[in-house]
Amino acid sequence: MDIVLVVIEIIVAIVWIQQGIVRYDFWEKGRPGGGFVPVVFAIIVLVAALAILIKTVFGKKKEKTAAFQSSAFIPVAAAVLGGFMLQVVGIALSVFLFTTIWMRFLSKYSWVKTLLTSAIFTAFIYGIFGMWLRVPFPRGFLFQMF
């Protein structure tokens, strides 16, 4: 089962890389484009997934296998949902929604702590990449109409 999850993560990372390079322009006019940040994070996910795959295939075999837990699919589902949200509403709102949903419903934090942390984290990401590094964020098709 571990191999299935890792293969799904590898496929999602490859799709992110492809979208970041082809659809969102990885590099434009001598500076990072809208696809730069998604490609960087996708490469991190890809390297981590490949390391886990190698460890799973070539590592020492465990005598006892853990029972299947459906919660193991949560990170994979979150990655797929994050990619979908990126296409629809863009990266800034996706980061906010993703952080809010994860903190409130999976980590069970209070609404105040969840919304405050999500807003600060989104502002931090926007401040670093959008304002300081001037990386244009993918806006998603809903906001491209305006």
Side-chain angles (χ1 to χ4, degrees):
M1 186 49 112
D2 291 339
I3 293 176
V4 173
L5 291 174
V6 171
V7 168
I8 292 171
E9 288 175 358
I10 290 170
I11 292 169
V12 169
I14 291 170
V15 170
W16 281 357
I17 292 169
Q18 184 273 336
Q19 289 289 300
I21 292 171
V22 174
R23 183 169 181 196
Y24 291 112
D25 297 325
F26 178 75
W27 203 264
E28 60 183 336
K29 299 177 186 172
R31 66 178 200 178
F36 182 78
V37 174
V39 169
V40 169
F41 286 116
I43 289 170
I44 293 169
V45 169
L46 182 61
V47 168
L50 288 172
I52 292 169
L53 181 65
I54 290 168
K55 182 179 178 186
T56 302
V57 172
F58 298 110
K60 293 181 181 177
K61 301 293 181 198
K62 296 179 185 176
E63 292 177 17
K64 192 174 179 183
T65 305
F68 173 74
Q69 295 178 348
S70 60
S71 62
F73 281 105
I74 290 174
V76 175
V80 172
L81 181 61
F84 175 73
M85 288 176 16
L86 180 69
Q87 304 291 326
V88 176
V89 296
I91 199 164
L93 188 55
S94 293
V95 167
F96 180 79
L97 291 173
F98 184 84
T99 309
T100 300
I101 291 168
W102 194 279
M103 287 185 66
R104 180 63 186 137
F105 299 109
L106 295 173
S107 298
K108 308 289 188 207
Y109 285 102
S110 70
W111 276 110
V112 173
K113 191 175 209 174
T114 296
L115 293 174
L116 184 63
T117 303
S118 297
I120 290 171
F121 184 68
T122 302
F124 178 76
I125 295 293
Y126 180 75
I128 296 283
F129 293 102
M131 296 175 71
W132 182 35
L133 296 175
R134 298 182 192 264
V135 175
F137 282 161
R139 292 183 13 196
F141 72 82
L142 282 182
F143 295 110
Q144 287 179 354
M145 295 186 291
F146 302 105

